[in-house]
Amino acid sequence: EADIYQTPRYLVIGTGKKITLECSQTMGHDKMYWYQQDPGMELHLIHYSYGVNSTEKGDLSSESTVSRIRTEHFPLTLESARPSHTSQYLCASTGENPVRNAGELFFGEGSRLTVL
Amino acid sequence: KQEVTQIPAALSVPEGENLVLNCSFTDSAIYNLQWFRQDPGKGLTSLLLIQSSQREQTSGRLNASLDKSSGRSTLYIAASQPGDSATYLCAVRAGTYKYIFGTGTRLKVLA
């Protein structure tokens, strides 16, 4: 069972609001990821992190920002939400131990964001 | 550039059938291949992980195989059930941090 948690699961907010999507994992994984996925569509990587104080932008340009101050925590922030940000955001993590499971990706349940 | 393709895009079968889902990738230099299940509006659930040195993995009614030389993986589901209805995705680990996902196969098992 994956120990990776996302909150909130659902969020409906108005345009211009600042939002933070939380992601935490208790597996001690060094690598964490944020993906964006529209219904029935493919996943797009928007941010990833190798470890504490290490963050990189992904393949899909995003106005969101991330931070990694603690190993277990990888929050995503939108300073000013717009309707175009409406989507599902999925957090994932992976590590290299145990070796037989090295690189296995675990996902949270997702945060569905609707911006009115 | 690594590309991952899943065929078919959608599949509808009667309950009890054995079925095979296909995943193809263009570059054989992969670290591993992973199969996931995704229910509507939910995250991805890991089903099976095959490291690059392995040929297959099994879990219950699921069996996944990997043939790196031909760039193919198959997910075999035995005795399908309505509860197996979901979207199935494969992903290859193409680098230290990089994962490439297929577009998925939407499976519907009819009671």
Side-chain angles (χ1 to χ4, degrees), chain B residues 12-88:
Chain B
S12 187
V13 301
E15 181 177 8
E17 272 205 8
N18 302 324
L19 54 99
V20 174
L21 307 182
N22 297 293
C23 174
S24 300
F25 47 96
T26 55
D27 187 344
S28 63
I30 63 171
Y31 287 61
N32 64 39
L33 185 143
Q34 194 170 354
W35 283 94
F36 297 90
R37 167 189 175 132
Q38 186 176 30
D39 294 293
K42 298 285 186 68
L44 280 67
T45 299
S46 179
L47 297 175
L48 290 165
L49 172 72
I50 312 176
Q51 300 292 359
S52 63
S53 59
Q54 298 173 327
R55 296 300 300 269
E56 69 174 349
Q57 286 289 331
T58 298
S59 176
R61 294 183 294 109
L62 306 179
N63 175 276
S65 67
L66 174 64
D67 183 344
K68 281 200 311 176
S69 61
S70 65
R72 295 166 65 106
S73 176
T74 60
L75 178 67
Y76 175 83
I77 302 176
S80 58
Q81 303 170 357
D84 294 330
S85 298
T87 296
Y88 291 80

Side-chain angles (χ1 to χ4, degrees), chain A residues 6-11 88 108-113, chain B residues 40-43:
Chain A
Q6 290 187 241
T7 57
R9 287 277 288 118
Y10 304 95
L11 181 62
Q88 172 152 268
E109 284 287 310
S111 292
R112 177 161 295 283
L113 173 65
Chain B
K42 298 285 186 68

